[in-house]
Amino acid sequence: MTRAFEPASANSAVAHAGRPRRRRPDWLRHLMADRLGMFGLVLVALVVIGAVFADVLTSYDPIRMSPRDRFAAPGLDHLMGTDNLGRDLFTRVLHGGRIALTVAMAATAASLALGVSLGLVAGYGPRWLDNALILLFDALRSFPTVMLALALVTLIGPSLAAVILVVVLSGAPSYGRIVRTQVISLKRAEFVLAERSMGAGTARILFVHLLPNVIGPILILASMDIPVVITIEAGMSFLGLGVPPPTPSWGNILNDGFSFIRESIWPVIAGGVPIIVATLGFTFLGEALRDTFDPRIRKDM
Amino acid sequence: MLVYTVKRLGLSVAIILVATAVLFVMVFAIPGDPVSVALGPRASPSVVEAFRERMGLDQPLPIQMLRFYGNLLTGNLGHDVLSGRSVATMVLEQLPYSLTLIAGAMVWSVALGVPLGCYAAMRRGSAVDSIVGVLSVGTIAIPSFVVAIYLLLIFAIGLGWLPAIGAGRSGEFGDQLVHLILPSLAVGLGWVGYLARMVRSTMLEVMGESHIRMAHAFGLPPRLVIFKYALRIAILPTLTLLGLGIGQMLSGTVFAEIVFARPGVGQLVYDAVSVRNYPVVTGAVLVTTAFYVLATLAADLLVASLDPRIRTSLRQ
């Protein structure tokens, strides 16, 4: 399955030995040669710039209604038109990008932290704990994501926290399983035995010695999961299970637009196209990053 | 094979039991007990007491959990808070609609994905190969609910070629089939990409093996070699992938059922969530989760029966 992390530059460095020193490192040249990856980077940059400079790029308020302007077609006043309450869709899309990126970062960080720590414990701990955690991981992974989301929201109600909880519960087990497999293959390695014979504690071995060895592939997998997180957030909001309205989220825009799809097509287009741009962009970029840093990592489906 | 089957079966049962426990703990660990969730904050104390007793909520947690498992064994998933109907019956009523949708999605993904992957492998490195590559990644990345909405917008509302809502009149096969086209494409499109990628990479691997080169050297027509000998082996990992895919397709059906207003388990759960009808939600989640675990089990056993190398190692 997933093997230990080795930078791909190890081989190419040998190949280029003897040439004059270049300013750009190998990995960067490799990455920039990947045309699809660069296209992904442009899409991601569009989303990020839109989200960061939302207040500068438009003068409208994303929430204030203006019923007289409802269902306007795209034009100079409203670049993407307006929705059923007369709100400027371009503004809402930019602000929706903030929600999408915030959730993507927060939820990915949380599921990484939980998954990696549990994976370290499972791999290094006693056999029974390993078995118990693996069973828990597999049980959590067997819930269909949307079903898990529906169950959680029935209990705690729709909120940003519910979205993050769903991402963590569905994502952390995969990271945990991969880290655990790698820790098991490393824990009998000589550098770990040496450290232990010199009296290092378990925490030191786990976090100072094992963690740096397993974190590389996991970070790349996490970057490839960003489109999945964006999909979960948008999907839950579309079902009314995520970020509660009137907060602009791409899923909310799509939900509002879908209710009035026969009156105007612009809200649905404004809600869906950013989701496509973001998921495609992060996917192309993530694949390029993976190919650059380790062509052998394969997503553990 | 028997040892493998028993081990794999045991693992599946364990996973279902733990998943049930997780769901159970979730329901009871969350602040605000299920009674107020179900009845709302304004219920009178006597109603609350009667409800607690009827649902067995007055018992200690471990007893409740044992009861829950006991009920599961007899196929009892609890009762609808509002109508009092058996949740198991309600879910089983809706399940065929969702399974039809999944079957349709699989037909789409196999009918498009396998030939695309095969063709890309035969023309490795060509423009067609790169286009199939980009299309695969694209269809995998784009969420199925966005696909569903745009399919509805283009083919049902814009062009008016296909119906927008419902599952068709009952008993009329043709009408139901026409209603199935768009939703199943929405659910299956992502899997076109997965299958094309998988078939392409295994085909390339298989084409290099000695028995294929032998067949070529023997002078068999290339088409015969590809379709009779190479594809047959290359299709195996695809089976496992489809087994795993059922879980994600189940998620996809929820969206497709809501966008196209079709009956089904997703629609049932979605309606239950808005009124916080938690026994229906947990019951349906359990059924779909068990269904997914059993589907992966079936796929694994099928592949193991076809490929003896797998039987000797139980993945853990």
Side-chain angles (χ1 to χ4, degrees):
Chain A
M1 292 255 168
T2 318
R3 293 183 205 132
F5 182 65
E6 269 175 46
S9 57
N11 295 323
S12 41
V14 177
H16 295 294
R19 284 207 202 158
R21 189 175 282 188
R22 310 182 74 109
R23 265 182 305 150
R24 282 184 192 145
D26 277 342
W27 64 267
L28 193 61
R29 281 193 301 120
H30 190 288
L31 192 62
M32 287 175 66
D34 190 324
R35 262 188 271 165
L36 206 54
M38 285 301 104
F39 177 59
L41 185 64
V42 171
L43 296 185
V44 169
L46 275 178
V47 175
V48 173
I49 291 172
V52 172
F53 298 105
D55 296 323
V56 186
L57 288 169
T58 82
S59 51
Y60 291 100
D61 184 299
I63 290 170
R64 223 189 58 204
M65 299 171 238
S66 156
R68 270 192 305 161
D69 305 322
R70 71 202 298 255
F71 298 132
L76 285 179
D77 284 349
H78 300 285
L79 289 175
M80 292 183 178
T82 57
D83 69 0
N84 54 310
L85 298 170
R87 297 173 294 197
D88 181 56
L89 283 167
F90 183 61
T91 310
R92 285 180 68 76
V93 165
L94 295 185
H95 283 268
R98 286 187 177 174
I99 299 278
L101 293 178
T102 313
V103 170
M105 282 189 292
T108 305
S111 54
L112 265 178
L114 186 68
V116 170
S117 348
L118 287 180
L120 285 171
V121 170
Y124 199 76
R127 188 70 194 265
W128 64 267
L129 189 60
D130 181 29
N131 286 336
L133 281 173
I134 282 293
L135 199 57
L136 182 67
F137 290 162
D138 285 351
L140 283 175
R141 274 160 32 128
S142 64
F143 290 118
T145 313
V146 179
M147 288 292 172
L148 185 66
L150 286 161
L152 266 173
V153 170
T154 318
L155 299 165
I156 62 176
S159 64
L160 201 60
V163 176
I164 291 176
L165 201 54
V166 168
V167 173
V168 170
L169 285 180
S170 61
S174 301
Y175 302 136
R177 229 176 185 289
I178 295 165
V179 168
R180 171 252 181 203
T181 311
Q182 294 202 13
V183 168
I184 284 180
S185 70
L186 279 176
K187 75 176 176 186
R188 303 261 171 266
E190 281 176 358
F191 73 95
V192 176
L193 294 180
E195 191 69 16
R196 212 160 59 186
S197 67
M198 291 197 298
T202 308
R204 185 178 162 82
I205 291 176
L206 282 181
F207 291 101
V208 179
H209 296 283
L210 289 175
L211 185 61
N213 276 292
V214 301
I215 199 71
I218 289 296
L219 284 181
I220 292 178
L221 285 182
S223 81
M224 297 187 66
D225 275 345
I226 287 179
V228 178
V229 178
I230 291 177
T231 301
I232 292 177
E233 187 273 314
M236 284 180 71
S237 299
F238 171 65
L239 293 179
L241 311 174
V243 186
T247 309
S249 135
W250 294 335
N252 285 343
I253 300 173
L254 206 52
N255 187 6
D256 289 341
F258 185 64
S259 313
F260 297 93
I261 197 168
R262 286 170 197 278
E263 264 123 298
S264 170
I265 60 168
W266 303 115
V268 177
I269 291 176
V273 170
I275 299 176
I276 295 178
V277 168
T279 50
L280 278 186
F282 277 108
T283 302
F284 289 148
L285 184 61
E287 300 232 325
L289 284 175
R290 179 200 57 189
D291 292 345
T292 303
F293 287 105
D294 188 353
R296 287 171 314 181
I297 301 176
R298 291 261 295 279
K299 173 98 183 137
D300 177 23
M301 302 204 354
Chain B
M1 186 68 199
L2 186 68
V3 175
Y4 177 79
T5 309
V6 170
K7 270 189 175 173
R8 191 64 188 73
L9 193 66
L11 189 62
S12 302
V13 171
I15 289 177
I16 293 178
L17 287 180
V18 174
T20 312
V22 168
L23 203 59
F24 187 84
V25 168
M26 230 161 68
V27 171
F28 288 88
I30 269 139
D33 68 333
V35 184
S36 63
V37 167
L39 298 180
R42 280 173 299 175
S44 70
S46 62
V47 174
V48 169
E49 209 38 58
F51 183 83
R52 289 185 80 93
E53 214 164 291
R54 185 156 63 87
M55 295 301 221
L57 294 173
D58 46 351
Q59 310 282 333
L61 195 63
I63 304 260
Q64 284 187 38
M65 194 138 162
L66 280 179
R67 258 198 189 173
F68 193 67
Y69 276 123
N71 285 339
L72 277 187
L73 284 178
T74 58
N76 181 355
L77 290 174
H79 295 274
D80 186 327
V81 174
L82 304 173
S83 69
R85 292 185 63 205
S86 150
V87 171
T89 320
M90 293 172 71
V91 174
L92 288 181
E93 268 173 18
Q94 300 296 321
L95 201 56
Y97 292 105
S98 302
L99 293 186
T100 315
L101 194 51
I102 289 178
M106 284 192 168
V107 170
W108 275 112
S109 55
V110 172
L112 294 176
V114 173
L116 276 179
C118 221
Y119 195 71
M122 283 158 65
R123 302 256 188 287
R124 185 185 190 179
S126 69
V128 178
D129 187 18
S130 4
I131 291 171
V132 171
V134 175
L135 273 184
S136 309
V137 182
T139 55
I140 294 169
I142 299 172
S144 70
F145 60 92
V146 178
V147 176
I149 292 173
Y150 286 168
L151 284 178
L152 180 98
L153 187 64
I154 296 170
F155 293 103
I157 296 178
L159 298 170
W161 291 351
L162 291 161
I165 56 167
R169 289 183 291 277
S170 61
E172 282 180 43
F173 182 70
D175 193 42
Q176 288 177 343
L177 201 62
V178 168
H179 279 82
L180 192 62
I181 296 175
L182 289 181
S184 59
L185 179 59
V187 178
L189 191 64
W191 287 84
V192 173
Y194 275 121
L195 290 195
R197 276 186 136 187
M198 192 70 161
V199 169
R200 178 186 178 276
S201 65
T202 39
M203 271 299 262
L204 288 175
E205 221 168 274
V206 172
M207 303 271 258
E209 279 181 24
S210 45
H211 73 282
I212 299 296
R213 277 182 301 164
M214 177 74 180
H216 276 297
F218 215 73
L220 294 178
R223 261 167 210 282
L224 186 73
V225 177
I226 285 167
F227 290 112
K228 190 166 176 199
Y229 297 101
L231 189 58
R232 219 166 154 183
I233 302 175
I235 210 85
L236 282 184
T238 314
L239 286 177
T240 324
L241 196 63
L242 274 182
L244 289 173
I246 285 181
Q248 280 192 30
M249 284 191 185
L250 274 169
S251 290
T253 55
V254 177
F255 290 112
E257 280 165 9
I258 287 159
V259 169
F260 291 96
R262 289 172 63 87
V265 178
Q267 188 73 254
L268 176 77
V269 180
Y270 183 66
D271 293 341
V273 169
S274 42
V275 291
R276 305 196 121 191
N277 195 344
Y278 81 96
V280 175
V281 178
T282 49
V285 172
L286 274 186
V287 171
T288 49
T289 306
F291 179 75
Y292 167 59
V293 172
L294 295 179
T296 30
L297 172 70
D300 275 1
L301 291 182
L302 188 60
V303 171
S305 72
L306 295 171
D307 187 346
R309 284 169 298 182
I310 295 172
R311 284 172 228 160
T312 48
S313 67
L314 180 65
R315 275 188 306 150
Q316 162 83 347

